[in-house]
Amino acid sequence: MGLFGADKVFKQVVVKPVNRLFTGGFEAMGAISRKPDTRTKDELVQTIDYYTQRIPEMQEFAKEIKTLNPKHMGTIADTLELSTHQEMLPTAINLGAKASNGVTYRKAVVKDMIEASKTNPEAMELVDAIINNTDSTTSKYALGMMSGGVLKNKELAKQMQATAQVVPNIAKETLNGGYTMDYSKQENFMDMIKTFVNPNAKPDKIKALFTDLAPATEKLEPEFNIYMDKFVNSSAPMEKVKENIEVLPDVVKMLGDKAKDMDVVDFVTKNTNLY
């Protein structure tokens, strides 16, 4: 008999995560579309507790993460879930590996996310968009690339916010097709992200590239190259750019065979009086 008249058996409560990224079944590759995070705050706390108890370098952040905006808590929970998931591929990425400074990529990016949640929430929008629209290899590749401090750069907030809105387009442009057994698609994805998350990029041009210019040129012949950096870095007023895009089909028709030498970005941003 115990002190209170009966023997007590105390069982340790096992905390389980409420994951949303890998719940079994086939894991799609390339550009994907995940459903929005619908976890409650209690479920997020439970998930954060699970991972911070099991990942030593995360333990120091456990309390602070749980004070953040629940949406950002969810993004960090996703990051920790990603960091413990191992793809059965030669190109599997380990966010638990240490960078040249001796800090794991996982610790560096989560630490920056905590600060970004408070001072640069637009960066969290971008991370969330990447996780929701790319496969695990690409998401982890991007998180590793962004672990060097860019998420804390408030001067890029507007560019990050605008880029977050077009991540699905970027993913479809760079990630579709078969498995290449290297990181070439991930490199192309991040190259495009870096083109837009750039102090010279104009946020209104980032969205217009996909909603206005690209759709207009897709309907034309010959096939035109779009120099994305030149377009998004242009200071031309969007009103004028849209006017030029509207008359672009007529100009291409007028030029005939000479249209193949046309720089459409120069035309829509500078209007070189070709008509």
Side-chain angles (χ1 to χ4, degrees):
M1 299 290 287
L3 179 61
F4 299 102
D7 289 329
K8 300 289 184 179
V9 178
F10 294 96
K11 294 183 179 179
Q12 183 178 4
V13 176
V14 178
V15 176
K16 294 183 178 180
V18 183
N19 291 328
R20 76 179 190 100
L21 305 183
F22 310 107
T23 55
F26 175 75
E27 184 181 344
M29 298 180 67
I32 64 174
S33 180
R34 300 187 193 277
K35 295 180 180 179
D37 191 348
T38 58
R39 288 173 291 189
T40 66
K41 184 171 182 180
D42 286 343
E43 289 173 331
L44 290 170
V45 168
Q46 179 177 325
T47 306
I48 295 298
D49 281 341
Y50 174 86
Y51 284 111
T52 54
Q53 287 171 14
R54 285 160 178 77
I55 305 173
E57 70 263 31
M58 288 295 109
Q59 291 173 8
E60 65 180 279
F61 304 131
K63 185 176 180 180
E64 192 170 11
I65 293 172
K66 290 181 285 187
T67 67
L68 303 178
N69 179 322
K71 182 174 177 59
H72 299 164
M73 282 177 60
T75 303
I76 293 176
D78 288 344
T79 299
L80 296 177
E81 182 184 352
L82 274 166
S83 77
T84 58
H85 177 74
Q86 285 298 311
E87 302 83 2
M88 300 301 291
L89 297 169
T91 50
I93 294 172
N94 180 16
L95 289 176
K98 292 182 179 180
S100 58
N101 61 0
V103 177
T104 66
Y105 294 99
R106 172 172 52 204
K107 180 176 182 177
V109 77
V110 168
K111 183 178 181 181
D112 286 356
M113 284 182 183
I114 293 170
E115 182 173 335
S117 175
K118 301 172 184 178
T119 64
N120 193 26
E122 293 82 358
M124 298 299 285
E125 289 182 40
L126 177 58
V127 174
D128 188 58
I130 290 172
I131 292 174
N132 280 331
N133 290 281
T134 70
D135 60 36
S136 59
T137 298
T138 305
S139 291
K140 290 200 282 187
Y141 186 94
L143 288 167
M145 291 285 288
M146 294 189 293
S147 64
V150 67
L151 298 178
K152 299 184 293 183
N153 190 340
K154 292 181 284 187
E155 294 181 4
L156 295 173
K158 291 182 178 179
Q159 287 88 347
M160 289 177 175
Q161 187 173 51
T163 303
Q165 296 175 31
V166 298
V167 165
N169 306 83
I170 299 172
K172 290 175 184 176
E173 187 76 21
T174 60
L175 301 178
N176 282 338
Y179 177 53
T180 58
M181 296 189 70
D182 59 23
Y183 299 117
S184 56
K185 290 184 178 182
Q186 286 71 34
E187 289 171 359
N188 291 338
F189 176 81
M190 285 307 298
D191 282 346
M192 198 176 289
I193 293 286
K194 287 185 280 188
T195 296
F196 304 145
V197 182
N198 183 300
N200 297 317
K202 309 302 185 293
D204 58 348
K205 301 292 193 313
I206 294 170
K207 186 175 181 181
L209 175 65
F210 294 98
T211 59
D212 296 276
L213 182 57
T217 59
E218 286 170 0
K219 300 174 183 177
L220 303 175
E221 290 187 6
E223 186 174 326
F224 292 99
N225 290 321
I226 297 177
Y227 299 102
M228 294 183 295
D229 54 345
K230 185 192 292 188
F231 182 75
V232 300
N233 293 346
S234 168
S235 297
M238 269 309 305
E239 182 179 358
K240 184 64 176 175
V241 169
K242 289 189 176 184
E243 288 177 5
N244 290 340
I245 291 174
E246 191 173 331
V247 301
L248 183 60
D250 294 332
V251 173
V252 170
K253 185 177 180 180
M254 181 195 74
L255 289 174
D257 289 342
K258 294 181 180 179
K260 67 179 183 296
D261 300 319
M262 181 182 184
D263 185 326
V264 292
V265 174
D266 273 347
F267 175 73
V268 301
T269 57
K270 300 176 182 177
N271 190 344
T272 51
N273 297 314
L274 293 174
Y275 63 96

